[in-house]
Amino acid sequence: MSITYKDAGVNIDAADAAKSRMKALVESTRTPGVIGGIGSFGGLFAPGFAGLAEPVLVASADGVGTKLKVAFMTGRHDTVGIDIVCHCANDILVQGAAPLFFLDYLALGHLTPDVVVAVVAGVSEGCRRAGCALLGGETAEMPDFYARGEYDLAGFIVGIVDRPAILDGSRVRPGDVVLGLASDGLHTNGYSLARKALFEAAGYEVDTVVDGLNEPLGDALLRSHRCYAAPVLPLLKDGSIHGMAHITGGGLLDNIPRSLPEGCGVRIDSSTWNVPAIFRVIQEAGDVPEEEMRRAFNMGIGMALMVDADAADGLTEKLSAAGETVYRIGEVVAGAHHVEIRP
């Protein structure tokens, strides 16, 4: 009996159909540095170095993690692509880098064009939010490797910063104010704990509307990762932002010290911002200890900025005008290299 590639589980025709539908999405992210179009073996990009004394490329890679399980449960696939781009863009923003281009990797057990196009539509939207080009990617159909209806998504970003402008934490000093930029929910971290608390311990479904949440759990959990590049990058020029920390897995406790010099710690006042309801719903559903919540989740703060005290009010005004919700959450202090969170 003759066997085809399709018989083995790989549908080239479906892949071609998906690629054809993705072309317009990729084109919508085009920036001046892009050379050529989709379909080549590699993406070409000519970065502009004008005005940079010593250009440095900054790269990062990440995945969406078990948040994908919520996408599978709801059948919604248009948000996880936004997550992967915005997460990566925020990671390189911490070092002062502006994103240039992004590459995605999508692996599936069975290629469904509608699902692939929805994921790439999200990636394209994330690139537009971050101001970078979707330069290329890979969609791999891998039968027997993933459960039917499931996939994995990873992304890779490259940005640029002038060497004298790199933020490495060395400028942070005691007396600096810590500004917290509000998150849009969980972003892309803590979903293993969230799913266990909500769907196993409490027995909720993705369409359950829990008191105080005012929307189905699935919608709250799929809220996309906020991108801080557009509002923050223009504010880096005058040097008043001394350091930044992207609040991902590990929360404020583990991420802020990564951007502090030795001899400096941070004191946080947890009463200074509003914790989104979804976190309290998770905590109550799983009877999760407060310390565990703070280590697993961002608790409503997606990015922390360590700034010159004299510039804090002005930066708050500018960030607020750009659409960010800004809280003055703490200060940098001399002493142990850790974060103390006070009630």
Side-chain angles (χ1 to χ4, degrees):
M1 184 180 70
S2 176
I3 298 176
T4 67
Y5 209 179
K6 187 174 181 179
D7 293 329
V10 178
N11 190 334
I12 296 175
D13 291 335
D16 289 342
K19 289 175 184 176
S20 177
R21 293 169 60 185
M22 287 190 291
K23 286 183 179 179
L25 295 171
V26 175
E27 186 64 26
S28 73
T29 72
R30 191 180 186 91
T31 62
V34 177
I35 299 173
I38 189 173
S40 187
F41 289 94
L44 301 175
F45 192 91
F49 295 146
L52 300 179
E54 198 172 349
V56 175
L57 296 179
V58 184
S60 185
D62 217 313
V64 180
T66 62
K67 185 173 185 175
L68 292 175
K69 288 285 190 180
V70 183
F72 307 153
M73 293 167 72
T74 61
R76 286 184 56 196
H77 306 283
D78 58 341
T79 64
V80 292
I82 300 173
D83 289 320
I84 189 63
V85 181
C86 294
H87 186 118
C88 289
N90 289 340
D91 275 352
I92 65 170
L93 173 65
V94 164
Q95 291 166 290
L100 293 175
F101 58 83
F102 188 84
L103 304 169
D104 69 295
Y105 175 78
L106 175 62
L108 317 90
H110 173 74
L111 195 154
T112 303
D114 286 348
V115 172
V116 172
V117 172
V119 172
V120 175
V123 174
S124 300
E125 172 61 22
C127 286
R128 290 191 293 271
R129 293 184 187 184
C132 65
L134 178 53
L135 194 60
E138 167 69 0
T139 301
E141 189 172 19
M142 301 166 63
D144 305 322
F145 206 84
Y146 295 96
R148 192 169 186 87
E150 298 195 355
Y151 54 82
D152 198 11
L153 177 64
F156 314 86
I157 199 165
V158 174
I160 193 167
V161 63
D162 204 1
R163 184 185 286 270
I166 291 174
L167 293 177
D168 58 5
S170 61
R171 304 178 201 171
V172 178
R173 56 181 181 264
D176 282 352
V177 167
V178 182
L179 299 179
L181 305 187
S183 69
D184 287 339
L186 277 65
H187 283 179
T188 48
N189 296 100
Y191 278 83
S192 294
L193 175 56
R195 289 184 303 107
K196 190 169 186 64
L198 295 170
F199 304 130
E200 291 187 32
Y204 295 141
E205 304 288 342
V206 289
D207 57 358
T208 301
V209 179
V210 182
D211 288 344
L213 205 56
N214 300 319
E215 64 179 335
L217 278 173
D219 290 350
L221 293 173
L222 286 179
R223 202 171 298 284
S224 58
H225 202 121
R226 192 170 185 85
C227 184
Y228 302 103
V232 172
L233 281 168
L235 305 182
L236 298 179
K237 297 177 182 177
D238 67 2
S240 58
I241 296 177
H242 297 159
M244 287 188 281
H246 185 198
I247 311 305
T248 57
L252 292 161
L253 290 167
D254 288 352
N255 284 290
I256 289 181
R258 298 167 64 184
S259 300
L260 298 177
E262 289 299 323
C264 283
V266 162
R267 187 177 296 133
I268 299 291
D269 181 353
S270 64
S271 70
T272 53
W273 76 90
N274 300 316
V275 176
I278 183 62
F279 295 108
R280 296 310 175 201
V281 169
I282 294 168
Q283 185 171 22
E284 292 173 9
D287 192 22
V288 183
E290 185 69 24
E291 184 75 4
E292 191 71 8
M293 291 293 296
R294 291 175 176 173
R295 295 196 76 91
F297 302 111
N298 65 58
M299 299 302 288
I301 300 296
M303 184 74 76
L305 312 182
M306 281 64 77
V307 309
D308 187 291
D310 293 335
D313 289 344
L315 288 169
T316 298
E317 290 179 7
K318 291 175 182 177
L319 288 164
S320 298
E324 299 303 313
T325 300
V326 188
Y327 302 101
R328 188 166 180 151
I329 65 172
E331 62 178 340
V332 178
V333 295
H337 189 255
H338 76 277
V339 173
E340 176 188 357
I341 301 181
R342 297 181 173 182

